[in-house]
Amino acid sequence: MNRAYWMESKTELLKMARLRQYSLSTIGFPLMFYCFFGLAMASNTHVGAISASQYLLASYGAFGVMGATLYAFGVGVAVERGLGWLEVKRASPMPPAAYLLAKAVVSVTFGAAVVTLLFALGALFGGVRMPAAQWTVLWTVLVAGAIPFGAIGLAIGSFAGPNSAGGIVNMIYLPLGFLGGLWMPIDFLPKSLQQVAHFLPSYHFGQLALSILKVPTEGTVPGHVEALVGFGLVFAGIAWIGQSRDRDKIYG
Amino acid sequence: MPVAELHGVTKRYGPVEALRGIDLAIAPGELLALLGPNGAGKTTAVRILLGLSAPTSGEASLFGHHPASQYAKLRRGALLQVGRVPETLKVREHIELFSSYYQNPLPVAQTVAAAGLAGLENRLFGALSGGQKQRVLFALAICGNPGILFLDEPTVGLDVESRRSLWKHIRRFVDDGGSVLLTTHYLEEADALAHRVAVIDRGRIAAEGTPAEIKAQTKTTGLEDALLAIMNNKEEVLQ
């Protein structure tokens, strides 16, 4: 039985790594954005006491992890659910938890790859220097951030159709990144949009990551963690509703 | 004791009655073909026996257990109609994954041979032909060494050669003592493979027996004519 969990995760990882629309875009976009905004344009800019290159390392790291997770769960589940593959698996003795674990393993692996590559870019070309402990904590917090976004992705995947899921994830992912202050510091946004940010999981994730860099952030660390846990639970509940609704669909 | 059984099963989707009281039993080693036009309720009956859908009333069981139980799942295999199978996995990877779900799976090489996939193990699923893809799905259904196979329109859309090839592998499974529930709207397929045929029409079993008995019942020589005779007869009764 344990073998099923291991095999499901390994196979899912192979499947997604070979799916270039996933592997290239989830790793490529955050790296590209960071090169433009974190390296090319911002080499001498500072946010508070730290360089923009360092600041944006945390925020694009959060953006990258969010993308890897939302696509793996949101698009992955919507396509497999909508086009019958999930049903083949449900008819088989696969442990249901293995299915979710495998998607989580993919999210965390790709999230970790994005963060590691961003760190390398920042250190090599952005002149970012931090004590080893700070690198480690930042890396860990960013990668662990996949968990609540996995629940959000699962909720999208449980309701979206197989053809529209990709578009829906984009429509959620990109605004979440921008409005949550992950593309540029939140202070750069108009005041009204800054108010909206407080209701977004991406904002809390970004602030949490930035707090490790000791830049002035809004709110408190426990507050952001609570918000992320809350978002995770609410969307896990929504996903549960979607999955149970699915169980008795119309077939001929 | 039957391997799989439906007893007085009805299924209603809102105002639509997909099944209106079905009794069906599959004996050990038997291949039962559920024959009927599209929308007759074949897939609904299979979904209920796989525990994917609950009957509105009546009972379904597999080896005396609930169809959705792990006990039942470990002893059956299913080839369902599926829109898209993950294409970036190799044939071997698909088979190894599904084998890992079972307690006593067949060795991968044996599954590969039993589904006619030798030489294709390292091919990506997306690079296979239609017939080869169906044979991979067949391999996933048999890899756990199940007692019964559910094959929901396994040869739909395949060319003659691919169809015959899949038939050969289905026959071999039955020769080795396995039971099969096969749904099809190809009469030729039911005639060629089935020990027994149940004709399903608008949610009811309209006729049941060996292919020869069904032809005799309706005084026809071909199963196709028999089927038409059964349906026409029912239409008259309904009107």
Side-chain angles (χ1 to χ4, degrees), chain A residues 196-223:
Chain A
V196 174
H198 293 260
F199 299 100
L200 302 176
S202 50
Y203 162 80
H204 295 285
F205 187 21
Q207 295 295 307
L208 193 61
L210 286 166
S211 70
I212 295 159
L213 301 181
K214 311 245 167 14
V215 284
T217 49
E218 299 176 13
T220 63
V221 168

Side-chain angles (χ1 to χ4, degrees), chain A residues 1 3-5 7-8 10-12 14-16 18-19 79-80 83-85 87-96 163 246-252, chain B residues 11 13 39 41-44 47 50 52-54 70 73-74 76 78 80 82-86 88-90 93-94 96-98 100-102 124 137 140:
Chain A
M1 276 311 267
R3 197 176 135 70
Y5 289 87
M7 286 297 292
E8 189 74 40
K10 187 188 107 177
T11 310
E12 185 74 11
L14 278 172
K15 176 184 114 186
M16 296 303 268
R18 289 187 193 133
L19 197 64
V79 169
E80 293 179 349
L83 297 174
W85 186 237
E87 198 151 87
V88 173
K89 295 221 169 202
R90 273 198 181 133
S92 83
M94 173 191 75
N163 296 319
D246 233 37
R247 246 158 250 158
D248 235 35
K249 252 187 352 197
I250 297 183
Y251 277 89
Chain B
K11 180 66 186 180
Y13 295 108
K42 302 188 294 291
T43 297
T44 304
R47 286 174 50 81
L50 293 174
L52 295 170
S53 178
Q70 194 68 3
K73 286 181 177 181
L74 286 167
R76 68 162 189 238
L80 303 178
V82 51
R84 194 193 296 165
V85 176
T88 51
L89 287 175
K90 295 174 182 171
E93 290 159 354
H94 270 298
E96 282 174 344
L97 174 62
F98 271 67
S100 77
Y101 300 156
Y102 294 87
L124 288 179
L137 292 181
L140 301 186

